[in-house]
Amino acid sequence: MIDRLEKEVDMLERHLQVLKMVIESEPIGIVKMSNETGYPHHKVRYSLRVLEEENLIEPSSQGAITTERTQEFVDELDGKLDEIVSKLESMKIEEAAEIEN
């Protein structure tokens, strides 16, 4: 049950790392991103596709570049992540009564 969540978080982390690289180094290509992150080309390509579908980046002849939507997303990101962390914190089962067998 938790394994799927961990995989989703890992994928989100990769997508955000790729987005950060585009923001900092635009235009930037797949090969450079793969070399700098250590992610295989196909994983970088998938992250770029997801980011493009979200209108956060767009392709150019020189590599990926940001869009008008990118800054708005970045501005809202920390707040959304904080909400998710709070929700996950509230789901903890801490110091619950011992389960009797």
Side-chain angles (χ1 to χ4, degrees):
M1 182 166 64
I2 297 296
D3 293 344
R4 276 198 328 233
L5 177 60
E6 283 180 312
K7 287 177 185 174
E8 287 292 326
V9 170
D10 288 343
M11 192 172 5
L12 176 62
E13 180 181 30
R14 185 180 77 234
H15 296 338
L16 293 176
Q17 187 174 4
V18 168
L19 178 60
K20 185 176 179 184
M21 291 184 76
V22 174
I23 291 168
E24 293 173 350
S25 304
E26 66 180 317
I28 186 168
I30 292 172
V31 173
K32 184 172 182 178
M33 283 190 262
S34 179
N35 290 342
E36 290 186 16
T37 62
Y39 293 128
H41 291 182
H42 71 277
K43 289 194 175 198
V44 172
R45 189 175 294 111
Y46 178 73
S47 290
L48 289 170
R49 187 176 335 123
V50 169
L51 294 168
E52 186 177 354
E53 288 172 2
E54 294 291 324
N55 296 315
L56 297 174
I57 63 163
E58 59 188 28
S60 76
S61 58
Q62 303 295 314
I65 59 173
T66 57
T67 67
E68 293 176 4
R69 165 117 172 75
T70 308
Q71 189 59 52
E72 177 187 348
F73 174 81
V74 171
D75 291 344
E76 296 173 354
L77 179 63
D78 286 351
K80 288 183 179 184
L81 290 175
D82 288 342
E83 289 174 20
I84 293 168
V85 168
S86 293
K87 189 168 193 171
L88 289 170
E89 287 285 340
S90 73
M91 295 167 64
K92 286 183 178 179
I93 303 174
E94 295 179 341
E95 300 179 24
E98 288 189 32
I99 300 170
E100 295 183 21
N101 293 329

